[in-house]
Amino acid sequence: MNKQLRILFIGTYVPKECGIATFTSDLLNSVSGEYKDVHCEVIALNDPSETYNYPEEVVFQIERDKIEDYYRAADYINQSDADIVCLQHEFGLFGGDAGDYIYAILSGIDKPVITTMHTVIREPELEYRVSTEKLIRYSEKLVVMSQTAVDMLKDVYEAPEDKIEVIFHGLPDYPFNNCEKYKKMLNLKGSPLVLTFGLLSQNKGIESLLDALPDVVNKYPDLVYLILGATHPGVKKRNGEAYRQYLKNKVSELGLENNVVFHDKFVEKEELCTYILASDIYASPYLSREQIVSGALTYAIGMGKAIVSTPYWYAQEMLSDNRGLLVDFRDTEGFEKSLLYLIENPEECDIMRKKAYDFGRKMTWENVGKEYTTVFHKALKNYNTCPKIQNRFNFLPNQLPEVKLDHLKLLTDDVGIIQHTDLGVPALRYGYSTDDVGRALVAVTQLINSEEKAEEHWKLIATYMSFLEYAQTDTGHFHNFMSYKREFLDEKGSEDTLGRAIYGLGHVVSCSYLSKNIRTLAYTLVRKSKQEMENLSHPRAKAYTMCGLHEMFRAGVDVDEFGSIFNSPRDAVKSVDSLVEKEAFESIFVKLADSLVDLYETNHKDDWNWFEPTVTYSNAKLSESLLLAYDYTKNKTYRKIGLATLDFLTEIQWRGDFFDLVGNQGWYSYNGEKPLFDQQPIEAGYLTQAYVSAYEIVRERKYLELAKYSFEYFMGRNRLRTVMHDCSTGAVCDGLNSEGMNYNQGAEPVICYLMALSSLNKHENEAFSTILQSRVSDEANEGALQRIKNLLSANQAE
């Protein structure tokens, strides 16, 4: 028994009043109606603010100018059981330059794509050439509707010949007929009845035919010219009914009020066919030679109409062999002579009609559906058997990159770290921040594993420590922002600023390769902040502070060690009982951990394992801080919640082969939609650190695997498959947005990258062994991903 073929169409769709919408519907029906083992669904494109009551086969909708919808559509396609994607392509259907938003779908899906090209441009501007070449590259097959289009694809775009298939535009199958009975059905007059139909726009060239009518009407006063169709929605939006009014004015000027009729409406297919069948002559006076297909002309051919047309590409090909008459563009005299010839030579006219009708039999939707289905099967067979690398991230390196501090040093002057850059050049107008300096201390101290390294990085450590010492207020809090003029811009920073400072200072205190003096200074600043730490209310500030304190505890800091360093009254560490001092810090640490537990208990739900109703920024630090609390206290509640929330972050961001981070355009709220952009690399860095901490604490292999994958976000394992790290300088871009990469390279991304790299470096041999080298084997890679999924499910079950 043959497996059912599942086809997913992308295009506009009925009831939208659009030629391609009608085409997509007709094609779907011709394919699904002909074969019982074919199932069809649709992803429909809408203009902004449009809503439609779509039929059930429409399973997903895209707003044309909303790039996020295209990315979500790609996700939907990958998760669907569709075998084939059939794309209806016309540049104006899609958002972006030359409709390039569609490549957010095509570049991100792992299904064969069959593209019907409704437009091919012979002399394209650069953006249209680039867009067409990408379309060729991403398509398994290209379907065009004329040999002219085939020749252009090969000659202009060098498309491979074996990719191109010619399948005519479809049409309904009607018998060769006498017009009179259909005229009676519609109560139409006209002997003859001349018809032009389609959405009205200036490129229709109707004025050329109107100018030709006066002399024809003088001889045949019963002639009626019916102009059928609503104004094109895009034209109406821009220019209203200006073109229609222009035509009506011309009719009055020419004295044709009794011979020209406007039917200003969009007619459904059955009614349209009745109008065509009622007509004697079909006129197609288009002004543009570049017209590569015309559904209206196709219908007229297939219903055996006498046709007079301008010589646009499609008409030239379809009306060859005496299937119609061609008149040059804007040739009023030519239209007049052609109309008179058809009226005055009925036998020759009937021969022409019959030739057109016979040619049209190969264009019926029944035949077109069969041809498309054959192409679908052929493409699917080739796609499934053709050797290819399934892993779309196969460009990733098989080892961790070398540590490069060039960019960090570029941003660092004798005061601190310049916050931002303009395309990688330090932007001095933004000045400095404690937020960056505190975390830079973490990044740099993690690189120090010998006295030689301590000496190498001494200048950076001393500069950052000098900044924090100067930034600390009398209460123990910290200023955050300093201008390039070395003036603080705030009375004190946020609670996050305090936490980030403690985070960095804790790492300095714990780094035994640094001098005792600078470690004592760091401890003194931490000690001065003790009261501020006790008063913290913001979750992330608590998490940063806990990470800094844990680093001090982990290193087994002896308070007495720092008590004898200072002799000055201002900075001296007073002689205190070291046990009391340690217990005070431990009390703060546990208090902060317990408050995060309380926050989790208040806000988590069965399907929302998180501390707050919204997932925002620096998320993994919350989970990591509780895991570190478990590491120090062995309180299993901290472990349980730390792992549950970290697994939740995995669940909502891990896409099976890349991390799709929560975007900052609205954040991700419970029962809301997760924003795709803008994605900040800080989240990937913190995830890596949290996964490494989880691995070190609970020794579950999946966390090391996830740490590697989250770190590879910087290297291109992300939604846009964009490398964010410059291996020559160590710079990291500021983020990913809907238009691509933000090429600014500020302090925060490079600092978080370095923290992640240092965390993972400790386990490089393990991280890149056995299963994590599986990108060379699709089967092994799938196994790794499935194991992670299974382990996550097991944790959730617990």
Side-chain angles (χ1 to χ4, degrees):
M1 183 176 179
N2 292 333
K3 175 183 177 291
Q4 187 178 52
L5 179 66
R6 306 184 75 88
I7 304 163
L8 189 56
F9 290 87
I10 302 177
T12 50
Y13 201 68
V14 293
K16 182 180 174 71
E17 297 178 354
C18 160
I20 292 180
T22 304
F23 179 92
T24 307
S25 174
D26 287 339
L27 178 57
L28 180 149
N29 289 326
S30 71
V31 171
S32 61
E34 187 65 24
Y35 299 95
K36 292 182 180 179
D37 61 345
V38 173
H39 178 76
C40 299
E41 294 179 331
V42 179
I43 292 179
L45 285 127
N46 302 326
D47 287 333
S49 76
E50 283 184 345
T51 56
Y52 294 103
N53 184 22
Y54 282 118
E56 63 181 4
E57 60 265 26
V58 174
V59 293
F60 194 94
Q61 297 180 46
I62 294 172
E63 185 178 312
R64 185 192 63 202
D65 296 328
K66 190 175 179 182
I67 185 66
E68 291 86 350
D69 283 0
Y70 294 81
Y71 286 113
R72 295 188 197 282
D75 294 340
Y76 178 88
I77 293 168
N78 285 332
Q79 294 164 15
S80 76
D81 55 3
D83 299 302
I84 291 275
V85 173
C86 185
L87 170 68
Q88 303 307 306
H89 185 270
E90 161 67 54
F91 295 105
L93 288 187
F94 313 106
D97 294 333
D100 65 359
Y101 280 7
I102 189 60
Y103 301 109
I105 294 179
L106 300 187
S107 65
I109 61 176
D110 54 4
K111 315 275 187 182
V113 177
I114 313 302
T115 299
T116 303
M117 299 184 70
H118 292 262
T119 299
V120 182
I121 304 174
R122 175 167 282 170
E123 296 179 356
E125 295 178 3
L126 179 60
E127 63 266 33
Y128 288 94
R129 172 178 287 279
V130 169
S131 184
T132 302
E133 289 173 348
K134 289 169 73 174
L135 188 66
I136 294 167
R137 187 165 68 250
Y138 284 121
S139 299
E140 191 75 17
K141 288 287 185 180
L142 302 163
V143 176
V144 292
M145 304 181 205
S146 66
Q147 186 58 43
T148 306
V150 174
D151 296 340
M152 278 195 285
L153 283 176
K154 292 194 296 185
D155 298 342
V156 178
Y157 301 97
E158 299 182 350
E161 187 170 1
D162 61 356
K163 267 196 176 188
I164 307 171
E165 302 281 349
V166 178
I167 303 178
F168 289 120
H169 190 298
L171 56 87
D173 193 4
Y174 284 92
F176 193 69
N177 72 89
N178 184 300
C179 309
E180 295 307 317
K181 78 168 187 176
Y182 293 98
K183 288 181 184 177
K184 290 178 182 177
M185 288 171 59
L186 294 170
N187 195 28
L188 289 173
K189 297 178 180 179
S191 182
L193 177 62
V194 182
L195 175 68
T196 293
F197 71 89
L199 294 172
L200 200 62
S201 63
Q202 284 182 306
N203 73 336
K204 295 291 187 186
I206 291 170
E207 61 272 22
S208 300
L209 197 69
L210 291 176
D211 287 334
L213 286 182
D215 288 345
V216 179
V217 167
N218 283 340
K219 293 185 69 174
Y220 300 97
D222 291 332
L223 180 148
V224 172
Y225 180 29
L226 174 59
I227 301 167
L228 176 65
T231 300
H232 191 289
V235 173
K236 191 170 184 177
K237 193 172 185 178
R238 291 190 301 271
N239 304 316
E241 293 288 0
Y243 181 59
R244 185 180 296 276
Q245 190 57 50
Y246 161 74
L247 295 177
K248 287 183 176 181
N249 293 341
K250 180 174 280 289
V251 168
S252 297
E253 291 168 9
L254 296 172
L256 296 171
E257 292 94 334
N258 295 327
N259 301 93
V260 178
V261 177
F262 290 88
H263 278 195
D264 180 8
K265 65 176 181 176
F266 182 87
V267 291
E268 299 297 334
K269 185 174 66 176
E270 283 193 25
E271 185 181 6
L272 171 62
C273 291
T274 304
Y275 274 102
I276 299 170
L277 292 167
S279 65
D280 298 287
I281 298 171
Y282 173 70
S284 182
Y286 287 171
L287 299 179
S288 173
R289 187 178 300 277
E290 288 73 27
Q291 186 91 10
I292 201 66
V293 68
S294 168
L297 181 62
T298 302
Y299 274 38
I301 290 171
M303 295 185 196
K305 299 293 106 180
I307 300 170
V308 56
S309 173
T310 50
Y312 52 90
W313 291 329
Y314 188 69
Q316 280 185 308
E317 185 172 331
M318 294 297 110
L319 299 182
S320 61
D321 296 334
N322 198 33
R323 292 190 287 267
L325 299 178
L326 294 176
V327 176
D328 204 2
F329 300 100
R330 301 182 188 277
D331 183 359
T332 300
E333 184 179 352
F335 276 116
E336 178 187 332
K337 289 180 178 179
S338 296
L339 289 172
L340 289 172
Y341 175 83
L342 293 173
I343 295 169
E344 294 172 351
N345 296 276
E347 290 184 5
E348 286 85 348
C349 181
D350 282 345
I351 291 171
M352 191 181 297
R353 288 179 58 209
K354 191 65 168 63
K355 280 190 174 184
Y357 180 81
D358 290 343
F359 182 74
R361 294 315 90 212
K362 64 182 73 174
M363 299 179 174
T364 63
W365 277 118
E366 179 181 352
N367 290 326
V368 167
K370 290 177 181 177
E371 292 186 58
Y372 265 94
T373 304
T374 299
V375 171
F376 292 155
H377 283 291
K378 187 192 306 183
L380 186 59
K381 181 179 179 181
N382 183 61
Y383 187 82
N384 288 336
T385 59
C386 181
K388 55 186 174 290
I389 298 174
Q390 297 284 353
N391 181 2
R392 53 186 171 153
F393 297 105
N394 62 306
F395 57 85
L396 293 168
N398 58 7
Q399 61 184 16
L400 290 176
E402 178 186 356
V403 173
K404 285 277 190 176
L405 296 181
D406 303 41
H407 191 66
L408 183 65
K409 291 177 179 177
L410 175 68
L411 296 174
T412 303
D413 60 13
D414 60 345
V415 175
I417 306 174
I418 301 298
Q419 289 189 81
H420 302 296
T421 73
D422 292 322
L423 299 178
V425 178
L428 304 183
R429 65 187 179 279
Y430 291 110
Y432 317 87
S433 79
T434 295
D435 287 341
D436 291 335
V437 169
R439 288 176 292 182
L441 281 172
V442 178
V444 178
T445 55
Q446 285 182 326
L447 299 175
I448 298 174
N449 55 11
S450 66
E451 292 181 1
E452 290 76 17
K453 286 291 184 182
E455 184 176 347
E456 178 184 344
H457 300 315
W458 166 252
K459 184 176 180 181
L460 290 174
I461 297 288
T463 299
Y464 302 154
M465 282 298 301
S466 175
F467 185 95
L468 289 187
E469 194 274 338
Y470 186 52
Q472 192 169 41
T473 68
D474 292 340
T475 67
H477 210 298
F478 292 85
H479 295 287
N480 190 14
F481 299 115
M482 176 190 280
S483 73
Y484 191 66
K485 296 179 180 179
R486 303 190 182 188
E487 298 170 343
F488 284 113
L489 305 176
D490 50 32
E491 292 185 10
K492 67 177 182 179
S494 67
E495 288 192 1
D496 282 4
T497 298
L498 173 69
R500 287 163 178 160
I502 300 302
Y503 187 25
L505 292 169
H507 277 75
V508 174
V509 172
S510 73
C511 185
S512 60
Y513 294 105
L514 292 174
S515 71
K516 190 173 183 180
N517 284 359
I518 203 161
R519 293 172 66 209
T520 301
L521 174 59
Y523 181 81
T524 302
L525 300 182
V526 173
R527 187 170 182 270
K528 187 176 178 180
S529 297
K530 188 163 58 174
Q531 187 60 50
E532 293 285 354
M533 286 188 264
E534 288 184 350
N535 296 331
L536 288 174
S537 60
H538 291 273
R540 284 154 189 82
K542 296 175 182 180
Y544 283 120
T545 300
M546 289 168 62
C547 290
L549 293 178
H550 178 270
E551 189 64 19
M552 290 170 48
F553 301 156
R554 182 192 63 79
V557 172
D558 184 353
V559 176
D560 284 340
E561 177 185 358
F562 302 115
S564 59
I565 296 298
F566 293 105
N567 295 318
S568 70
R570 182 175 70 87
D571 291 323
V573 177
K574 302 295 189 270
S575 178
V576 295
D577 183 343
S578 63
L579 182 60
V580 173
E581 184 84 350
K582 182 179 179 182
E583 287 178 348
F585 282 126
E586 287 177 341
S587 175
I588 294 172
F589 184 75
V590 170
K591 176 184 175 183
L592 298 179
D594 287 343
S595 69
L596 291 182
V597 170
D598 291 342
L599 189 66
Y600 173 81
E601 295 295 350
T602 299
N603 290 298
H604 90 281
K605 297 174 175 59
D606 290 342
D607 56 348
W608 188 259
N609 270 326
W610 193 239
F611 299 94
E612 300 165 302
T614 302
V615 176
T616 56
Y617 67 97
S618 304
N619 300 303
K621 270 288 169 276
L622 296 171
S623 304
E624 184 185 14
S625 67
L626 280 185
L627 290 172
L628 297 179
Y630 165 74
D631 182 56
Y632 187 66
T633 68
K634 303 308 176 188
N635 183 327
K636 291 184 178 180
T637 298
Y638 301 156
R639 179 186 189 274
K640 178 182 176 182
I641 295 174
L643 292 178
T645 53
L646 184 58
D647 289 344
F648 175 73
L649 291 178
T650 307
E651 178 188 336
I652 64 173
Q653 297 179 112
W654 175 243
R655 302 293 303 181
D657 58 353
F658 71 97
F659 273 94
D660 200 21
L661 303 177
V662 172
N664 65 11
Q665 293 181 1
W667 305 119
Y668 181 28
S669 297
Y670 179 67
N671 282 337
E673 186 174 54
K674 188 183 87 171
L676 299 183
F677 299 106
D678 292 353
Q679 296 188 14
Q680 306 298 305
I682 176 179
E683 304 303 326
Y686 284 175
L687 275 172
T688 302
Q689 287 183 289
Y691 287 134
V692 170
S693 292
Y695 173 67
E696 292 174 343
I697 291 167
V698 302
R699 307 308 294 182
E700 289 186 21
R701 176 75 183 185
K702 69 168 182 179
Y703 291 116
L704 190 56
E705 295 179 359
L706 288 165
K708 174 179 174 289
Y709 290 136
S710 58
F711 178 77
E712 287 180 334
Y713 180 93
F714 296 101
M715 318 309 294
R717 190 184 284 279
N718 51 56
R719 172 172 282 280
L720 303 186
R721 283 185 281 177
T722 297
V723 178
M724 305 172 72
H725 170 252
D726 184 342
C727 62
S728 63
T729 65
V732 178
C733 82
D734 276 1
L736 299 179
N737 58 48
S738 59
E739 301 300 321
M741 185 164 72
N742 181 339
Y743 285 93
N744 292 319
Q745 299 168 329
E748 183 178 79
V750 67
I751 290 168
C752 293
Y753 165 84
L754 287 170
M755 290 193 293
L757 178 58
S758 295
S759 296
L760 198 52
N761 253 329
K762 295 180 290 183
H763 305 284
E764 179 176 14
N765 291 336
E766 297 169 88
F768 283 89
S769 66
T770 58
I771 191 68
L772 290 184
Q773 292 179 347
S774 61
R775 68 167 60 98
V776 299
S777 165
D778 294 337
E779 183 179 347
N781 191 51
E782 288 299 319
L785 303 182
Q786 188 59 45
R787 274 195 293 279
I788 292 172
K789 185 176 179 181
N790 292 342
L791 286 165
L792 285 174
S793 298
N795 271 15
Q796 290 169 3
E798 289 176 9

